[in-house]
Amino acid sequence: MHLLEETLRAIEESGHTPDDVLYVGSEDGRLQLSWNHAEPVLKGVCYDNGFGAQEIASDLCVRFKDGAMLIRCEYDGAEWWRHIPAPATHGVSFEYVAQTNFIRGNRLADLNK
C-alpha cells in the first residue's frame, strides 16, 4: 500500500481536500508538517497493510482546519485511516458513563438516551 495514495483517498472520503489540512503529524500536535512538506514524506512510504506487524506510526494523524482529523487504526497488523469528525462546539449534559444494562450499548450517547 502506498501511504500517500491511501491518505489522499481517506482525505477525500472524509469530505476534505489537501487544502483543508492543518498539519500531518502526531495526535498530540508536538510533531507537525504542513501538507506541502508531508506529501513527499508520505509518498516515499510503501507498506503491507495486511495482517502482521504495524508499520506506520500509531499516532500519525491528519488534522484538518475545521477540527476533524484522520487517525491511524490497527488490528493484528492490518492498518487504515479512521475519520474523526470535528467536535461539536456546544454539547448537552449527560449523567451516565458506565453501562446500567446491556441493551443501550457502550457509547456515551447510547448510555444517556
Side-chain angles (χ1 to χ4, degrees):
M1 173 68 63
H2 295 278
L3 185 57
L4 177 60
E5 293 173 15
E6 178 191 17
T7 303
L8 286 168
R9 188 169 43 258
I11 288 171
E12 181 180 336
E13 289 172 358
S14 75
H16 295 89
T17 69
D19 289 337
D20 298 322
V21 173
L22 179 62
Y23 70 83
V24 176
S26 58
E27 287 183 35
D28 65 10
R30 293 181 185 201
L31 299 170
Q32 298 183 14
L33 291 174
S34 68
W35 177 254
N36 290 338
H37 288 98
E39 194 171 10
V41 173
L42 300 176
K43 185 176 185 177
V45 178
C46 187
Y47 75 101
D48 180 359
N49 68 338
F51 293 101
Q54 184 173 3
E55 297 180 40
I56 306 302
S58 62
D59 64 339
L60 180 66
C61 79
V62 177
R63 177 86 57 176
F64 297 105
K65 295 172 186 171
D66 67 1
M69 63 190 297
L70 296 173
I71 61 168
R72 295 300 294 176
C73 292
E74 179 269 339
Y75 179 77
D76 274 350
E79 301 179 49
W80 63 93
W81 284 111
R82 177 177 169 221
H83 176 247
I84 305 294
T89 56
H90 294 79
V92 296
S93 62
F94 59 91
E95 188 173 341
Y96 303 105
V97 296
Q99 288 190 20
T100 56
N101 64 51
F102 294 102
I103 298 171
R104 291 187 178 175
N106 63 355
R107 295 184 44 188
L108 196 57
D110 297 332
L111 296 172
N112 288 278
K113 286 183 180 177

